């Protein structure tokens, strides 16, 4: 057996010849022991000036993995990297997929038209900008997006964020309000592209699911209260906090009007019943997507027949496709950075989460960083065609999946439906009641109130329940931005505390005795 020593003076030891000590110089007990050879292993000292003097060493160390991966990529892999749609185009099964994609695209498109107008009103914009936001970004995402079932477009939460920040800068009736909403889409797109290219999608792992659930629950309540004004028949203050909303609703109760309340309530009940039947019975799945369209048709028919003066209508909507224009208002970009970051975070939570779930159900892999890049490109192109920030929708993506969508062709079909609506149906949209659009928004956000999560956390983990409660409460009373910051901050504090104080399990004496007996028995 050889024993190796590593020493800073190894070179000196190696240079000197090794001779065994004489027995006379050893103690009596050690003199009789056999001598053993000692192997000298020279210690290789690093050159202290190699990194400082040659910067290429650093670059090679940092980028060697990327360079080797790039060199191994084929032409097909390069095309798939920049155009993910080529992956499903090469393997498209026309006989199996075409009919399913067409039906899913038509279903989602019919659902998107009224929802887009509703969410634009929630964002403080004219309904036409909701239709624009559901047109160009869909086609762009079908080319650059990696998910085959994700349905993008205007969503309630992003619309509320747009309304919340822009309402503090300028009045919604001002033209600058619309310009800033379009500029916000460009900023969000740039941030999403940067995060995708820098592969920063992993940052979402630091946000607890309890924070996400509490945030969406509080936001849904605020969204629903902000739409109550169309039911009551009088204006309510624009705010992302629950206290000003409730005060405004109570103070204007003397202006209450029965007709919009009755119509809105009836339409809301019809949508909810159709949604419930569509979820509970497979043979009636089409009812879930047909709910918003039914609300618009019923409301418009009633107005055309009875002409009620107390029910406010959408009004005239421009006809035709959006025109190319460069976003304006760059002098306000600095004040929009925080909101752009928040909307980008919501895009990661809402889009990438459901996109990964749908990819797993349909048997293909999805890269969250590439998904962020696809969403970013869709927002950038959309901003040049008068769209405000868009992202993936929970409800429409679920309907797209349930309708049997197999590839991004379903999204292209939905975009064509939206294009037909812009070209031929805008004169009919003039007579849509505002309360019908409000009912569509309220119906969509009811499912975001995740009280079941709070009940589950009460039984399983009280610490996560506390985190859920803190996030929901701060979002309701202090606003969306503060709610997110507080929720994420407390979540990180919990992670740091658990890391500093790990749980140490202790075995009971009885279990120790049992394990000892088993060890003796089988050893």
């Amino acid at each position: 057996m050889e024993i190796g020593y590593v020493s800073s003076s190894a070179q000196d030891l190696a240079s000197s010849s090794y001779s065994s000590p004489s027995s006379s110089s050893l103690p009596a007990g050690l003199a009789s022991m056999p001598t053993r050879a000692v192997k000298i292993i020279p210690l290789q000292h690093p050159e202290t000036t190699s990194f400082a003097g040659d910067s290429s060493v650093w670059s090679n160390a940092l980028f060697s993995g990327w360079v080797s991966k790039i060199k191994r990529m084929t032409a097909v892999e390069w095309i798939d990297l920049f155009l993910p749609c080529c992956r499903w185009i090469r393997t498209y099964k026309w006989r199996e997929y075409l009919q399913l994609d067409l039906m899913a695209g038509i279903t989602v498109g019919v659902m998107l038209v009224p929802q887009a107008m509703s969410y634009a009103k929630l964002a403080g914009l004219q309904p036409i900008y909701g239709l624009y936001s559901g047109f160009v970004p869909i086609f762009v995402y079908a080319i650059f997006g990696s998910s085959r079932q994700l349905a993008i477009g205007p969503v309630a939460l992003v619309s509320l964020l747009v309304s919340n920040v822009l309402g503090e800068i300028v009045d919604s009736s001002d033209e600058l309000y619309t310009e800033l909403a379009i500029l916000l889409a460009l900023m969000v797109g740039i941030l999403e592209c940067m995060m995708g290219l820098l592969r920063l999608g992993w940052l979402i792992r630091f946000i607890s699911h309890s924070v996400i659930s509490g945030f969406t629950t509080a936001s849904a309540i605020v969204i629903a209260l902000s739409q109550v004004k169309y039911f009551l028949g009088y204006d309510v203050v624009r705010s992302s906090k629950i206290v000003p909303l409730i005060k405004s609703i109570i103070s204007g109760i003397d202006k209450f009007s029965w007709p919009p309340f009755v119509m809105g309530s009836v339409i809301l009940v019809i949508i909810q019943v159709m949604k419930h039947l569509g979820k509970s019975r497979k043979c009636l799945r089409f009812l879930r997507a047909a709910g918003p369209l039914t609300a618009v048709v019923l409301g418009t028919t009633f107005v055309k027949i009875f002409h009620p003066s107390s029910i406010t209508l959408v009004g005239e909507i421009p006809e035709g496709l959006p025109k190319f224009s460069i976003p304006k208002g760059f002098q306000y970009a600095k004040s929009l950075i925080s909101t752009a970051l928040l909307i980008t975070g919501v895009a990661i939570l809402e889009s990438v989460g459901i996109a990964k779930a749908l990819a797993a159900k349909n048997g293909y892999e999805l890269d969250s960083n590439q998904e962020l890049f696809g969403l970013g490109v869709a927002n950038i192109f959309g901003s040049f065609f008068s769209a405000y920030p868009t992202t993936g929708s929970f409800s429409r993506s679920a309907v797209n999946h349930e309708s049997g969508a197999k590839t991004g062709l379903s999204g292209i079909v939905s975009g064509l439906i939206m294009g037909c609506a812009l070209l031929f149906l805008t004169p009919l949209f003039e007579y849509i009641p505002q309360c019908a659009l409000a009912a569509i928004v309220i119906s969509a956000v009811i499912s975001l109130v995740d009280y079941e999560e709070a009940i589950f956390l009460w039984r399983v983990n009280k610490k996560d329940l506390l985190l859920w409660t803190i996030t929901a409460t701060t979002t309701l009373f202090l606003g969306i931005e503060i709610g997110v910051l507080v929720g994420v901050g407390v979540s990180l504090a919990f992670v740091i505390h658990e890391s500093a104080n790990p749980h140490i399990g202790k075995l009971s004496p009885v279990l120790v005795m049992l394990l000892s007996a088993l060890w003796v028995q089988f050893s």
Side-chain angles (χ1 to χ4, degrees), residues 132-133 136-137 140 182 185 376-388:
Y132 290 162
S133 301
V136 172
V140 177
I182 296 171
V377 174
N379 272 305
I380 290 174
F381 275 86
S383 67
F384 293 111
F385 292 92
S386 302
Y388 76 96

Side-chain angles (χ1 to χ4, degrees), residues 219-280:
S219 300
I221 295 172
V222 172
I223 292 170
L225 288 176
S226 68
Q227 295 297 292
V228 168
K229 62 182 180 181
Y230 298 112
F231 279 54
L232 302 177
Y234 57 88
D235 288 334
V236 174
V237 67
R238 186 189 300 273
S239 177
S240 63
K241 304 174 185 177
I242 190 172
V243 174
L245 285 170
I246 294 177
K247 284 183 177 180
S248 181
I249 292 171
I250 295 174
S251 62
I253 198 67
D254 57 322
K255 302 175 185 177
F256 176 76
S257 177
W258 280 104
F261 179 78
V262 173
M263 175 181 280
S265 300
V266 170
I267 290 176
L268 179 60
V269 170
I270 292 174
I271 295 174
Q272 287 298 105
V273 171
M274 294 179 69
K275 184 189 292 186
H276 175 72
L277 292 175
K279 286 183 178 179
S280 59

Side-chain angles (χ1 to χ4, degrees), residues 29-108:
L30 296 177
S32 60
M33 293 182 64
T35 60
R36 296 178 182 270
V38 177
K39 181 180 179 181
I40 306 300
I41 303 176
L43 178 62
Q44 300 295 329
H45 293 279
E47 296 292 337
T48 57
T49 60
S50 60
F51 283 97
D54 188 4
S55 60
S56 63
V57 177
W58 282 103
S59 61
N60 290 336
L62 291 173
F63 301 107
S64 59
W66 287 3
V67 171
S68 61
K69 184 177 180 181
I70 290 174
K71 289 181 178 179
R72 291 195 304 267
M73 290 179 65
T74 63
V76 175
E77 291 175 337
W78 276 107
I79 295 174
D80 290 345
L81 178 64
F82 291 102
L83 298 174
C85 62
C86 295
R87 298 174 184 172
W88 57 264
I89 291 176
R90 286 199 309 270
T91 59
Y92 197 83
K93 301 177 182 178
W94 292 95
R95 293 184 179 181
E96 297 180 24
Y97 294 170
L98 182 59
Q99 184 179 359
L100 293 172
D101 283 338
L102 288 176
M103 292 302 299
I106 293 172
T107 303
V108 174

Side-chain angles (χ1 to χ4, degrees), residues 121 123-126 129 163 166-179 229 238:
K121 293 293 294 181
L125 300 166
Q126 295 298 319
Y129 292 101
S163 172
L166 298 186
E168 298 178 356
I169 298 175
V170 64
D171 188 77
S172 60
S173 59
D174 198 322
E175 185 179 353
L176 178 61
Y177 187 97
T178 303
E179 294 176 356
K229 62 182 180 181
R238 186 189 300 273

